[in-house]
Amino acid sequence: MNSHHTPPIPTTPNTPILDAEKPSKHIPLDFRQRLRHFTWAWYTLTMSTGGLALLLATQPNRFKGLDEIGIAVYLFNLVLFALLASSFTAVSVESLRHDREGLFFPTFWLSVATIITGLEKYFGDDPAQSFSTTLEVLFWLYCVCTFAVAALQYSFVFSSVTYRLQTMMPSWVLPAFPIMLSGTIASVIAERQPDRSAIPIVTAGMTFQGLGFCLSFMMYAHYIGRLMESGLPNREHRPGMFICVGPPAFTALALVGMARGLPATFSVMGTEDSAQDGRTLEILALAAGAFLWALSLWFFCIALIAVVRSPPTAFHLSWWAMVFPNTGFTIATITLGNSFESKGIQGFGSAMSICIICMWIFVFVSHIRAVIRQDIMYPGKDEDVSD
């Protein structure tokens, strides 16, 4: 699957790894040889495409045929996911232990999260009992697996890998990202779940959303310290700065969605006025959501300015960070606009959606072109090498 057991291909002496600023001669390789450099980071493609399908499903300003377009994007993502999964038939344990590639393993689970939420968004109208039960089971399986990823992967990193804080990148947050999206899944599926399962789902979603965001927030301290001490990352890695936009944005939309997804019978500490309890929680969720949305906006502006000042010169899979986290930011904007019943915020969310669609097309075309030109899936060009 990757290059851990592949003889190195000669490259230009003293050329930094993953540095596209200096030219290198490409030795033609057949597809089987290139497939060895097929890394976990490829799942950034499916997590972004799945996120795009969710974005289309949440549009406040709709038109005829939008649902069909959204379903087509969702099904296209399923095909991509199946193709990627079939390419990992001989997964090497070493890929999970790799100091760079291993950090992208969680993108597989982020792709799974978009698939689960897409099921509810596109096929959840008037669901049968079996459909609701399936989503409930998938939710709990996802929670168990992603909690294991967050605990085990960070345990391995703490004990077996040494990173210098001066090189800290937002990709260090990725192991905490999948468990955080438990709250996002809960916010989508809870509303149409029966009362017996809705409250446990929201409770677990709230708990794990908090865990993921707190882990991310602690990483932010190192990230800001790195920027203050060492400056901005190399321009080839600056698209990855958009990863920091995701945690506050997904937390904002999850809080509001979970507050709305509570059943009408829900009450706090046994009070009789369940309607008032639900209303109070929704107001608190909106206040917290607006607070977190502003944090996402700040991280977005920092990343955007950094990329515009010094754009990357060659495609890397980290470019997909310009899509998925910003998709969550856009959905959070639309969610707040719907909750505040603000046409202006909803319109702004629609404009952001157009930008996300354009960015997805741009990155997707760049991705395909990079494969054809051997700019990725080639020795020394992918996440299966170290700095």
Side-chain angles (χ1 to χ4, degrees):
M1 182 200 75
N2 51 48
S3 64
H4 303 300
H5 304 292
T6 306
I9 300 297
T11 56
T12 305
N14 302 319
T15 300
I17 292 172
L18 289 179
D19 186 355
E21 298 181 39
K22 298 182 180 181
S24 60
K25 295 181 180 179
H26 286 171
I27 300 174
L29 300 177
D30 62 34
F31 184 74
R32 182 174 299 179
Q33 289 175 300
R34 295 185 64 192
L35 197 60
R36 295 173 183 171
H37 301 277
F38 197 80
T39 67
W40 290 106
W42 269 75
Y43 280 105
T44 55
L45 165 61
T46 49
M47 77 178 189
S48 299
T49 307
L52 179 63
L54 295 176
L55 178 61
L56 294 174
T58 57
Q59 288 303 300
N61 301 303
R62 310 191 67 79
F63 56 85
K64 185 177 181 181
L66 181 59
D67 289 337
E68 287 73 15
I69 295 173
I71 291 175
V73 173
Y74 179 77
L75 295 177
F76 176 61
N77 184 56
L78 289 181
V79 172
L80 290 176
F81 186 83
L83 290 174
L84 295 186
S86 65
S87 300
F88 281 82
T89 54
V91 175
S92 170
V93 176
E94 293 300 317
S95 67
L96 299 177
R97 296 175 178 172
H98 193 269
D99 60 340
R100 180 191 295 272
E101 182 184 357
L103 290 174
F104 287 90
F105 170 63
T107 60
F108 166 83
W109 294 102
L110 294 175
S111 299
V112 172
T114 64
I115 291 173
I116 296 173
T117 50
L119 279 175
E120 170 65 28
K121 284 291 187 180
Y122 287 109
F123 305 102
D125 293 334
D126 194 21
Q129 179 61 41
S130 58
F131 183 83
S132 297
T133 301
T134 299
L135 285 178
E136 180 185 4
V137 171
L138 289 174
F139 171 79
W140 290 110
L141 287 174
Y142 180 86
C143 289
V144 170
C145 292
T146 54
F147 182 81
V149 169
L152 295 177
Q153 188 162 18
Y154 275 129
S155 295
F156 170 76
V157 168
F158 297 155
S159 62
S160 304
V161 182
T162 300
Y163 294 102
R164 292 180 295 113
L165 292 181
Q166 293 83 0
T167 63
M168 195 279 174
M169 283 295 291
S171 57
W172 293 13
V173 177
L174 286 177
F177 225 127
I179 188 64
M180 183 172 56
L181 259 67
S182 297
T184 305
I185 297 174
S187 70
V188 172
I189 71 173
E191 188 171 2
R192 286 191 279 217
Q193 287 285 321
D195 290 0
R196 63 163 185 82
S197 56
I199 293 179
I201 286 175
V202 170
T203 302
M206 185 72 68
T207 302
F208 292 133
Q209 186 76 35
L211 170 63
F213 180 72
C214 288
L215 289 173
S216 301
F217 203 76
M218 288 187 285
M219 290 293 179
Y220 284 165
H222 295 301
Y223 177 55
I224 299 299
R226 173 255 158 88
L227 293 178
M228 295 291 288
E229 181 178 348
S230 304
L232 294 170
N234 180 283
R235 67 181 184 180
E236 299 302 327
H237 301 297
R238 290 188 186 184
M241 295 175 67
F242 284 102
I243 293 175
C244 290
V245 176
F250 281 106
T251 301
L253 70 90
L255 289 176
V256 176
M258 285 187 287
R260 289 190 160 189
L262 288 168
T265 56
F266 174 79
S267 64
V268 178
M269 295 183 292
T271 58
E272 296 181 358
D273 193 352
S274 58
Q276 183 61 35
D277 289 345
R279 179 64 177 167
T280 300
L281 285 177
E282 188 171 344
I283 292 173
L284 291 173
L286 282 172
F291 181 95
L292 293 169
W293 183 90
L295 180 60
S296 283
L297 175 63
W298 185 80
F299 276 120
F300 174 83
C301 292
I302 294 297
L304 179 63
I305 293 171
V307 172
V308 170
R309 285 181 58 188
S310 187
T313 57
F315 178 83
H316 296 301
L317 290 169
S318 62
W319 281 27
W320 285 111
M322 295 188 291
V323 178
F324 183 71
N326 295 331
T327 299
F329 182 37
T330 304
I331 296 176
T333 303
I334 293 171
T335 300
L336 291 173
N338 292 339
S339 298
F340 288 120
E341 298 182 353
S342 170
K343 294 294 185 182
I345 297 177
Q346 290 175 341
F348 183 64
S350 296
M352 292 173 66
S353 300
I354 295 173
C355 295
I356 293 294
I357 294 170
C358 293
M359 180 57 68
W360 183 92
I361 294 172
F362 169 73
V363 177
F364 184 76
V365 171
S366 299
H367 191 158
I368 299 301
R369 184 173 60 181
V371 173
I372 296 173
R373 296 172 55 181
Q374 297 189 137
D375 290 334
I376 59 174
M377 288 182 67
Y378 191 85
K381 296 287 187 177
D382 301 275
E383 286 71 21
D384 55 354
V385 293
S386 301
D387 287 324

